[in-house]
Amino acid sequence: MILFSALLAIGGLVVTSLIEQFYCSLTNWLKTLPEKLKKATPGILIGCKTFVDGVRERIRNGMVEISRNYSKVGDEWHMVSAERVVGMNEVPAEIVEETAACDNGLLDVTEELELYLEG
């Protein structure tokens, strides 16, 4: 019984560690985007949504991280999207499962990312 409890605790730490690594990698990528998007984004950047696409790249054994960046010029809204492919070994199993449960395979992880950044 004690061995089972110890294995369960270690398993929980491994899963937490994988999710931590995933969001750390995602935030590091997002930090590089502002400079790259300055030329492509008109006006002032107002908001950003972050997604994981689990359908499109699964054939190539990867998933796509998507950042949609919103700006407004006058009364007109603009959206600029940036994407990168990550290997399936870099994506935690629970994220893969959640993308599979989505109708279009596009999982919005904006809120989870904000919680991660808040600590």
Side-chain angles (χ1 to χ4, degrees):
M1 186 68 176
I2 294 173
L3 180 61
F4 178 74
S5 297
L7 288 174
L8 190 61
I10 291 171
L13 289 174
V14 169
V15 169
T16 302
S17 177
L18 288 174
I19 291 172
E20 177 89 12
Q21 289 175 0
F22 175 74
Y23 283 118
C24 182
S25 169
L26 186 55
T27 56
N28 287 339
W29 174 63
L30 291 174
K31 287 176 185 175
T32 66
L33 286 181
E35 286 300 316
K36 295 176 183 177
L37 293 174
K38 274 185 183 176
K39 295 176 186 171
T41 307
I44 298 170
L45 187 64
I46 293 177
C48 175
K49 295 283 278 179
T50 309
F51 301 91
V52 176
D53 187 341
V55 173
R56 199 169 35 167
E57 292 294 324
R58 194 167 289 168
I59 293 171
R60 295 187 203 141
N61 201 27
M63 296 184 93
V64 179
E65 294 174 345
I66 303 167
S67 173
R68 292 188 180 157
N69 305 277
Y70 300 92
S71 62
K72 192 172 182 182
V73 178
D75 291 335
E76 197 172 301
W77 282 93
H78 296 269
M79 193 258 313
V80 176
S81 184
E83 301 179 359
R84 78 171 180 161
V85 177
V86 295
M88 291 298 284
N89 59 337
E90 298 176 57
V91 181
E94 78 176 45
I95 300 289
V96 174
E97 291 171 11
E98 287 182 44
T99 59
C102 294
D103 292 334
N104 59 359
L106 198 63
L107 175 66
D108 184 350
V109 293
T110 307
E111 288 183 23
E112 290 87 348
L113 192 58
E114 287 175 356
L115 290 173
Y116 170 78
L117 290 172
E118 290 174 0

